[in-house]
């Protein structure tokens, strides 16, 4: 297949490398040429362009059989989200619509679920997030699903949980820096997925995802924040982080969700077998990698 990875970054590069290994011809699109050497080393052909500009897309060397959109907004604001996700997707649909595209995969986010009651959410659960940026992701998904239904555009939506892996993982990195705080009583549930398993899920969606369908991409063990930190403390032999102050909790509370993402459909319908079924396997691998490279800089706790 001729594959285009739009927004070829943290997930896109190992995805491209894997697709190249499987014998596909892979192109990776970014706004700047800064990462070209990294893409080329992975066997990916670098392309430069901005999906918010339709004229950039018109210049790309199509047609493509598979397109994966893993673009991410570097700045977090509402207008940036509207441009990169919603307008970018509109441009891609318009550009690809008349071609013989076989599959289009978009990596949305589990932040589209606004649930705050700790309930289990599956793909049919309501998507009514409180935050303006997550609402834009819902709009982007709806645009793709509607176009799949009305114009046979072969779009598959993946709702991806918090991605971790080499050099990534928000709470883990905060913990290593000694900046982590337990929010509230630590009972808020976090949902994670290792980058390797995001790559596997995207490839499964390219091969057998059904157009117009949505699949959650999260691991087997949604975990309360305090249990995650307890596991890290025991594994690394370091103290638990302190509880956040009342002011810190009040500042963070708005828009925070609390839910357990079900991955049943990913496993049952796409047949994905997770390499890191829980954060324990995934972070054990990451901790070992850091230890071997001398990158695990744990300072002894002074208390
Ligand atoms: N990180 C998470 O925890 C998480 C959770 C749920 C879902 N996701 C989704 O997972 C996907 C992969 O994320 P990631 O961590 O791999 O993102 P990333 O490392 O930030 O990569 C995104 C890439 O998109 C490129 N890009 C940004 N704006 C662009 C534009 N307008 N036109 C063309 N390229 C553009 C960037 O390169 P340039 O700056 O050079 O353009 C970058 O290489 C994203 O769709 C993200 O929304 C992530």
């Amino acid at each position: 297949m001729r594959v285009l990875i739009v927004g070829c970054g943290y997930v896109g590069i190992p995805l491209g490398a894997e697709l190249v290994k499987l014998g596909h011809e892979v192109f990776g699109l970014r706004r700047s040429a800064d990462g070209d050497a990294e893409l080329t080393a992975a066997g990916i052909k670098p392309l430069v362009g901005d999906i918010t500009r339709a004229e950039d897309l018109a210049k790309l060397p199509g047609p493509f059989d598979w397109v994966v959109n893993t673009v991410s907004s570097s700045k977090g604001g509402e207008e940036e989200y509207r441009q990169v996700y919603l307008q970018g997707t509109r441009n891609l649909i318009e550009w690809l619509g008349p071609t013989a595209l076989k599959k289009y995969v978009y990596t949305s986010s589990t932040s589209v679920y606004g649930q705050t009651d700790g309930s289990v959410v599956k793909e049919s659960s309501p998507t009514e997030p409180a935050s303006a940026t997550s609402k834009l992701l819902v709009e982007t998904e709806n645009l793709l699903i509607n176009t799949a239904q009305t114009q046979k555009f072969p779009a598959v939506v993946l709702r991806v949980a918090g991605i971790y892996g080499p050099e990534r993982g928000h709470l883990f990195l905060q913990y290593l820096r000694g900046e982590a705080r337990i929010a509230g009583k630590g009972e808020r549930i976090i949902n994670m997925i290792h980058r390797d398993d995001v790559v596997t899920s995207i490839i499964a969606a390219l091969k057998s995802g059904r157009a117009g369908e949505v699949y959650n991409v999260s691991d087997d063990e949604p975990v309360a924040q305090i249990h995650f930190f307890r596991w890290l403390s025991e594994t690394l032999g370091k103290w638990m982080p302190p509880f956040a102050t009342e002011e810190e909790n009040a500042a963070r509370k708005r828009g925070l969700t609390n839910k357990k993402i079900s991955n049943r459909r990913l496993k049952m319908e796409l047949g994905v077998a997770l390499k890191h079924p829980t954060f324990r396997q995934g972070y054990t691998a990451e901790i070992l990698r850091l230890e071997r490279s001398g990158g695990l800089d744990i300072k002894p706790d002074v208390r």
Side-chain angles (χ1 to χ4, degrees):
M1 298 283 177
R2 266 186 125 231
V3 189
L4 175 66
I5 300 173
V6 175
C8 197
Y10 185 70
V11 168
I13 294 173
L15 168 68
E18 191 56 33
L19 288 167
V20 168
K21 265 195 236 157
L22 294 171
H24 302 285
E25 183 183 17
V26 183
F27 297 80
L29 178 72
R30 303 163 65 130
R31 286 166 306 179
S32 78
D34 296 352
D36 279 10
E38 207 185 337
L39 268 65
T40 308
I44 305 167
K45 296 173 182 162
L47 297 172
V48 173
D50 182 338
I51 59 161
T52 66
R53 296 157 47 95
E55 62 273 28
D56 283 11
L57 294 178
K59 289 182 201 142
L60 299 179
F64 297 98
D65 302 302
W66 285 348
V67 171
V68 183
N69 182 4
T70 49
V71 109
S72 172
S73 101
S74 39
K75 294 180 226 125
E78 196 177 330
E79 196 40 42
E80 170 85 3
Y81 263 60
R82 185 180 301 284
Q83 284 306 316
V84 173
Y85 292 107
L86 192 54
Q87 188 56 42
T89 298
R90 263 193 213 117
N91 291 343
L92 286 165
I93 292 173
E94 195 143 315
W95 170 59
L96 293 163
T99 68
L101 180 71
K102 292 192 178 71
K103 199 64 69 73
Y104 178 102
V105 173
Y106 162 59
T107 47
S108 182
S109 164
T110 53
S111 72
V112 297
Y113 298 114
Q115 284 78 348
T116 57
D117 58 355
S119 57
V120 174
V121 293
K122 47 188 187 176
E123 290 79 354
S124 55
S125 300
T127 50
E128 291 157 358
S131 87
T133 48
S134 298
K135 284 188 171 98
L136 283 161
L137 298 186
V138 175
E139 259 191 81
T140 306
E141 286 189 357
N142 288 341
L143 171 66
L144 284 166
I145 294 165
N146 290 338
T147 316
Q149 284 159 359
T150 57
Q151 294 167 41
K152 292 199 166 20
F153 187 77
V156 177
V157 172
L158 300 181
R159 291 186 182 140
V160 182
I163 301 171
Y164 71 96
E167 318 300 339
R168 282 268 186 113
H170 181 57
L171 289 180
F172 177 67
L173 294 175
Q174 269 188 347
Y175 181 85
L176 290 187
R177 289 196 302 267
E179 291 167 8
R181 297 284 176 276
I182 300 168
K185 293 185 185 132
E187 68 277 72
R188 191 170 97 85
I189 304 289
I190 45 182
N191 296 276
M192 292 175 270
I193 185 80
H194 192 283
R195 178 173 68 171
D196 293 347
D197 291 318
V198 180
V199 167
T200 306
S201 302
I202 294 173
I203 295 175
L206 284 168
K207 288 183 177 163
S208 41
R210 282 183 294 136
E213 293 294 338
V214 177
Y215 304 86
N216 291 336
V217 178
S218 192
D219 74 13
D220 290 349
E221 193 177 327
V223 61
Q225 197 196 46
I226 198 160
H227 292 145
F228 175 66
F229 283 135
R230 192 165 294 139
W231 180 84
L232 276 183
S233 311
E234 283 167 5
T235 304
L236 296 169
K238 207 174 139 65
W239 289 86
M240 282 288 278
F243 283 92
T245 62
E246 269 178 41
E247 296 78 56
E248 284 169 331
N249 281 326
R252 273 194 223 166
K253 206 166 180 183
R254 256 192 95 252
L256 278 187
T257 62
N258 190 23
K259 67 229 173 183
K260 299 188 189 92
I261 305 294
S262 162
N263 65 9
R264 189 165 191 274
R265 194 157 197 223
L266 179 77
K267 299 203 302 191
M268 300 291 282
E269 291 188 27
L270 293 186
V272 169
L274 298 174
K275 182 174 170 194
H276 306 288
T278 82
F279 64 92
R280 293 169 227 279
Q281 289 85 13
Y283 272 113
T284 297
E286 177 57 5
I287 289 165
L288 289 174
R289 188 190 71 83
L290 287 170
E291 265 175 6
R292 278 192 217 108
S293 66
L296 196 61
D297 182 21
I298 301 242
K299 295 187 183 59
D301 286 302
V302 207
R303 283 196 204 174

